[in-house]
């Protein structure tokens, strides 16, 4: 009986109030969730950390979860049990998720079966935790919202982070000319190894001139923007005729001149994976699994943290000098 009792609780990170990284509390007596119908319980081996989780935690994001809650959506692990009507998965299957219902910063997580996907043997759990949000977001930004076509050029701002590297790999495989920016020499090398044809250091005061020299008078067709509150005004100057800026990330307000969009009939398009339809998510999943199978889709894992260091992870993802891959928590 003691064994059964011991197994029914787990370690999980809980947030009881919105605020800084210090509100992330690791608890060891959280009940293991039970999967209901069409749900899957996963024993978590790794969980991705995304910038959006820090915005939600701080209480400044449009979506506010009911308190207390456990953050985290991208988990990779092994199916522990399944609820009624789940036929696609069974105990012992290796899987990754796009989102969880109970929170991913925990030893076990429940997810809707429709948000769970098989994790191919080619990838380890750390890489599995780097798949969901980054790759689905990158694919959505490029194709579902950006209507990218082979032969077009794409500039990926902040290309050395999780979404950025995913975008570089996908865009390169799909025949686009890929330019990327990063903030460090190492970051630039990482993006060149992962599909970018050319890399630019966005700390160089003249980097936009270098991009213009590279694209010529035509400009760039698509910009994937991770920090639109800093770059959007400049992005509009870099676009081609009918070019589009895909707003993937933003940390505040910015002033722009709408006339810049008129002169090129360019577009600013917001991207939110949260708003994807079931069909769009399936399309993303197919593209991702095909890419893994073909061998060009290889998640780059960056900094790794144990669950105890979750507050440090949240600090580092916002304040670090330059990303190099997807940040993960290891369990």
């Amino acid at each position: 009986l003691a064994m059964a009792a011991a197994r029914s609780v787990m370690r999980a990170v809980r947030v009881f109030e919105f605020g800084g990284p210090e509100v992330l509390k690791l608890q060891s007596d959280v009940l293991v969730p039970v999967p209901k119908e069409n749900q899957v319980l996963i024993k978590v081996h790794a969980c991705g950390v995304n910038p959006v989780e820090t915005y939600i935690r701080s209480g400044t994001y449009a979506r506010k979860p009911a308190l207390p809650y456990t953050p985290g959506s991208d988990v990779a692990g092994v199916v522990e049990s399944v609820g009624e009507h789940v036929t696609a998965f069974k105990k012992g299957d290796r899987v990754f998720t796009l989102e969880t219902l109970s929170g991913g910063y925990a030893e076990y997580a429940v997810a809707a079966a429709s948000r769970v996907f098989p994790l191919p043997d080619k990838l380890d759990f750390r890489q599995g935790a780097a798949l969901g949000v980054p790759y689905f977001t990158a694919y959505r930004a490029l194709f579902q919202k950006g209507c990218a076509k082979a032969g077009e050029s794409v500039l990926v701002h902040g290309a050395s982070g999780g979404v950025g590297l995913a975008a570089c790999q996908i865009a390169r495989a799909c025949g686009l000319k890929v330019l990327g920016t990063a903030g460090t020499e190492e970051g630039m090398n990482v993006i060149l190894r992962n599909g970018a044809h050319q890399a630019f250091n966005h700390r160089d005061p003249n980097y936009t001139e270098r991009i213009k020299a590279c694209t010529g008078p035509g400009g760039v067709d698509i910009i994937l923007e991770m920090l639109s509150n800093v770059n959007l005004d400049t992005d509009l100057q870099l676009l081609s005729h009918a070019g589009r800026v895909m707003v993937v990330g933003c940390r505040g307000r910015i002033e722009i001149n709408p006339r810049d969009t008129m002169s090129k009939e360019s577009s600013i398009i917001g991207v939110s994976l949260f708003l994807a339809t079931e069909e769009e998510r399936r399309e993303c999943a197919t593209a991702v699994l095909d890419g893994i199978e073909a061998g060009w889709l290889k998640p780059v894992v960056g900094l790794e943290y144990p669950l105890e260091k979750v507050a440090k992870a949240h600090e580092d993802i916002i304040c670090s000098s330059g990303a190099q891959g997807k940040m993960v928590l290891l369990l």
Side-chain angles (χ1 to χ4, degrees):
L1 219 123
M3 273 296 284
R7 264 207 306 273
S8 62
V9 296
M10 63 173 181
R11 293 188 313 144
V13 173
R14 303 291 282 160
V15 175
F16 293 91
E17 58 178 328
F18 297 114
E22 70 283 354
V23 303
L24 298 161
K25 306 290 185 198
L26 180 57
Q27 301 199 299
S28 53
D29 57 352
V30 179
L31 288 175
V32 174
V34 176
K36 301 189 176 79
E37 62 176 336
N38 300 315
Q39 293 178 358
V40 176
L41 178 67
I42 299 160
K43 182 169 180 18
V44 179
H45 285 253
C47 181
V49 180
N50 297 293
V52 70
E53 286 145 25
T54 70
Y55 312 151
I56 294 170
R57 181 215 69 227
S58 70
T60 59
Y61 197 62
R63 276 190 292 137
K64 280 195 184 65
L67 296 166
Y69 77 99
T70 294
S73 56
D74 297 327
V75 309
V78 175
V79 174
E80 180 72 15
S81 61
V82 298
E84 275 187 278
H85 312 310
V86 176
T87 51
F89 302 102
K90 62 184 185 313
K91 185 176 166 67
D93 286 351
R94 300 171 85 246
V95 293
F96 72 94
T97 67
L98 186 57
E99 59 185 78
T100 66
L101 296 163
S102 59
Y105 297 7
E107 290 177 324
Y108 292 89
V110 159
S114 63
R115 306 289 198 279
V116 178
F117 306 95
L119 178 64
D121 290 336
K122 287 184 178 186
L123 303 186
D124 61 29
F125 292 118
R126 293 152 53 252
Q127 291 173 304
L131 283 173
V133 170
Y135 280 87
F136 284 52
T137 299
Y139 183 86
R140 181 168 179 76
L142 284 165
F143 299 105
Q144 293 176 343
K145 294 290 159 191
C147 304
K149 294 181 181 58
E152 287 191 313
S153 57
V154 60
L155 169 64
V156 183
H157 255 312
S160 62
V163 177
L165 286 168
C168 288
Q169 291 179 3
I170 294 171
R172 180 65 178 252
C174 295
L176 282 93
K177 180 182 181 184
V178 186
L179 314 176
T181 75
T184 63
E185 198 63 43
E186 304 91 292
M188 288 165 69
N189 290 332
V190 168
I191 65 183
L192 289 168
R193 285 200 300 273
N194 283 280
H197 292 88
Q198 284 191 270
F200 304 87
N201 189 330
H202 56 66
R203 293 177 201 278
D204 170 356
N206 299 319
Y207 86 97
T208 52
E209 296 310 314
R210 294 176 198 270
I211 292 171
K212 283 178 185 166
C214 177
T215 59
V220 66
D221 298 307
I222 302 172
I223 298 178
L224 256 61
E225 186 49 78
M226 314 301 165
L227 199 59
S228 42
N229 53 300
V230 172
N231 300 319
L232 188 58
D233 187 46
T234 319
D235 289 341
L236 296 175
Q237 329 286 324
L238 295 173
L239 285 179
S240 64
H241 175 73
R244 45 267 186 224
V245 180
M246 313 309 301
V247 177
V248 176
C250 182
R251 296 183 190 173
R253 302 174 74 87
I254 185 170
E255 192 173 298
I256 62 164
N257 183 350
R259 189 171 285 157
D260 292 334
T261 64
M262 293 159 63
S263 58
K264 295 173 180 171
E265 291 196 322
S266 55
S267 316
I268 301 166
I269 302 168
V271 180
S272 171
L273 188 57
F274 185 64
L275 297 174
T277 64
E278 199 65 53
E279 194 181 352
E280 286 171 330
R281 276 192 297 270
R282 275 201 299 272
E283 184 193 331
C284 291
T286 302
V288 165
L289 292 168
D290 285 354
I292 297 167
E293 187 55 40
W296 56 258
L297 196 157
K298 291 195 181 95
V300 179
V301 177
L303 296 169
E304 302 172 7
Y305 299 78
L307 211 48
E308 297 76 24
K309 294 274 183 357
V310 63
K312 180 88 174 92
H314 267 225
E315 222 167 275
D316 290 351
I317 201 165
I318 295 301
C319 305
S320 73
S321 60
Q324 280 179 62
K326 169 79 177 198
M327 185 182 280
V328 296
L329 298 171
L330 298 180
L331 287 100

